[in-house]
C-alpha cells in the first residue's frame, strides 16, 4: 500500500537522535511522499535542506501563527527566496491560533495575509493552521481566494472546524487534512468530517511529532503512523484503506505537484 504523509515536522528536535531511522521506517511502511512543513524561518530552512537530502521528502516554508510577531519585510524576502528552491511545493504552516495566542491577534492576521499574498505571487498552494479561529481564518481566505490565481488553494491542516463549516471550506477550493485525532474514541465529529469530505479533496497527515494516533497515543508520532489515520478514515467512510490511500496519494500529488 502506498501512503502520503502530507504534513510532518521531521526537522524538529524530537527526531534529532534517530531521524534517519524514522525516515527509513516510513519507507518500510509504504510511505511514498512526505511534505515536511516549516513553522518559522529556521525550520523552513531545515525543511528545505531535508527535502534536498531525500528524494521522497518535499518542503513547505512559512511562519506559524505562534511566531507571527517575527514576520518582517526582510523575513518575507527570505521566505520568498526559500520558496523558489527546488522541492518547495507550498507556503505553510500559516494561519491563526487563538487557543494559545502566542502572538497578538492583529499580528497573526497581518502575517497570515502577507504569506497568502506571497503564495499567490509564487502560484503555490498554502498549508493553513486554524485553531479556535475559524471565523477569521475563513474570512481572510474568502478575500484571498477572490483575487488569488485559480489554482487549487491548499489544505486546512488537521481540520478542526467540524462538519458545519465543511461546505464553506470546500467551496473556497481547499482540501481537508485529517490527522491522528480521527483515531481517538471520542472523535465523533472528526469522523463525520472524514466520511463527508469528497474523496478527491481528502489528505492524510501525521503532524509528527504531535497528534499521535491510536494505538501509539502518548508516544512520539512519526510518518509511518499515517497508516493508522488512513485506516480510521477508511472505516468512517466504509471504504477500504487501499482506496483511501490511493486517492489521498493522488490528491497530494495533484495539489502539491509531488510524486512518490
Amino acid at each position: 500500500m502506498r501512503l502520503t504523509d502530507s504534513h510532518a515536522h521531521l526537522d524538529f528536535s524530537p527526531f534529532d537522535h534517530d531521524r534517519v531511522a524514522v525516515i527509513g521506517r516510513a519507507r518500510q511502511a509504504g510511505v511514498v511522499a512526505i511534505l515536511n512543513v516549516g513553522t518559522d524561518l529556521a525550520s523552513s530552512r531545515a525543511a528545505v535542506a531535508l527535502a534536498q537530502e531525500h528524494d521522497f521528502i518535499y518542503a513547505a516554508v512559512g511562519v506559524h501563527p505562534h511566531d507571527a510577531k517575527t514576520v518582517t519585510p526582510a523575513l518575507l524576502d527570505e521566505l520568498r527566496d526559500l520558496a523558489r528552491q527546488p522541492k518547495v511545493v507550498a507556503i505553510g504552516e500559516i494561519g491563526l491560533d487563538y487557543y494559545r495566542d502566542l502572538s497578538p491577534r492583529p499580528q497573526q492576521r497581518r502575517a497570515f495575509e502577507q504569506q497568502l499574498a506571497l503564495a499567490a505571487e509564487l502560484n503555490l498552494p498554502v498549508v493553513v493552521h486554524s485553531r479556535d479561529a475559524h471565523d477569521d481564518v475563513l474570512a481572510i481566505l474568502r478575500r484571498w481566494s477572490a483575487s488569488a490565481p485559480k489554482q487549487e488553494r491548499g489544505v486546512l491542516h488537521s481540520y478542526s472546524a467540524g462538519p458545519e463549516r465543511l461546505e464553506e471550506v470546500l467551496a473556497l477550493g481547499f482540501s481537508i487534512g485529517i490527522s491522528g485525532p480521527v483515531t481517538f474514541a471520542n472523535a465523533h465529529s472528526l469522523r463525520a468530517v472524514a466520511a463527508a469530505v469528497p474523496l478527491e479533496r481528502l489528505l492524510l497527515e501525521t503532524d509528527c511529532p504531535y497528534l499521535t494516533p491510536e494505538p501509539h497515543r502518548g508516544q512520539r508520532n512519526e510518518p509511518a503512523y499515517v497508516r493508522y489515520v488512513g485506516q480510521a478514515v477508511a472505516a468512517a467512510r466504509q471504504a477500504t484503506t487501499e482506496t483511501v490511500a490511493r486517492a489521498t496519494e493522488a490528491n497530494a500529488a495533484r495539489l502539491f505537484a509531488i510524486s512518490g
Side-chain angles (χ1 to χ4, degrees):
M1 185 163 53
R2 294 167 60 91
L3 293 154
T4 294
D5 181 0
S6 62
H7 196 110
H9 299 289
L10 286 169
D11 56 287
F12 281 17
S13 60
F15 297 110
D16 284 352
H17 67 289
D18 65 345
R19 186 171 289 108
V20 172
V22 167
I23 292 170
R25 284 196 294 272
R27 274 296 210 193
Q28 292 168 2
V31 177
V32 298
I34 299 170
L35 179 57
N36 199 67
V37 181
T39 57
D40 58 19
L41 189 56
S43 68
S44 293
R45 289 173 178 147
V48 172
L50 192 65
Q52 291 171 344
E53 294 171 6
H54 300 274
D55 61 356
F56 77 118
I57 298 178
Y58 298 82
V61 299
V63 177
H64 190 285
H66 289 344
D67 291 296
K69 56 183 174 290
T70 70
V71 174
T72 64
L75 184 147
L76 288 168
D77 286 342
E78 293 196 59
L79 276 184
R80 180 179 289 103
D81 290 342
L82 275 177
R84 290 177 169 140
Q85 295 298 309
K87 300 192 74 180
V88 175
V89 298
I91 300 296
E93 177 175 353
I94 64 176
L96 304 176
D97 192 309
Y98 291 173
Y99 178 74
R100 296 196 183 278
D101 273 331
L102 296 184
S103 284
R105 292 182 183 186
Q107 288 182 309
Q108 289 191 46
R109 291 189 288 268
R110 182 167 59 251
F112 186 24
E113 291 170 338
Q114 289 170 325
Q115 292 178 94
L116 286 170
L118 178 61
E121 173 191 334
L122 300 175
N123 201 29
L124 289 173
V126 292
V127 178
V128 177
H129 173 106
S130 178
R131 188 171 187 190
D132 288 1
H134 306 312
D135 287 345
D136 282 358
V137 164
L138 291 176
I140 290 170
L141 290 178
R142 198 177 301 113
R143 292 194 297 271
W144 176 71
S145 296
S147 59
K150 300 300 183 184
Q151 72 221 39
E152 288 193 79
R153 308 296 186 185
V155 57
L156 259 69
H157 147 64
S158 196
Y159 182 81
S160 62
E164 61 274 11
R165 308 304 292 266
L166 187 57
E167 185 175 348
E168 184 178 1
V169 172
L170 294 171
L172 288 172
F174 280 81
S175 295
I176 302 296
I178 304 290
S179 55
V182 73
T183 68
F184 300 169
N186 64 349
H188 307 298
S189 176
L190 186 54
R191 282 190 287 276
V193 168
V197 177
L199 189 57
E200 67 273 12
R201 302 287 285 280
L202 186 64
L203 296 174
L204 303 180
E205 308 175 337
T206 60
D207 199 23
C208 66
Y210 312 116
L211 301 182
T212 310
E214 299 287 3
H216 297 286
R217 191 175 183 182
Q219 305 169 26
R220 182 193 66 179
N221 201 2
E222 60 179 76
Y225 297 167
V226 73
R227 67 184 183 274
Y228 299 115
V229 180
Q231 289 166 2
V233 168
R237 299 181 67 89
Q238 299 184 334
T240 67
T241 307
E242 176 65 35
T243 296
V244 170
R246 187 184 312 115
T248 52
E249 179 195 0
N251 295 344
R254 183 183 66 251
L255 176 59
F256 298 119
I258 63 177
S259 59

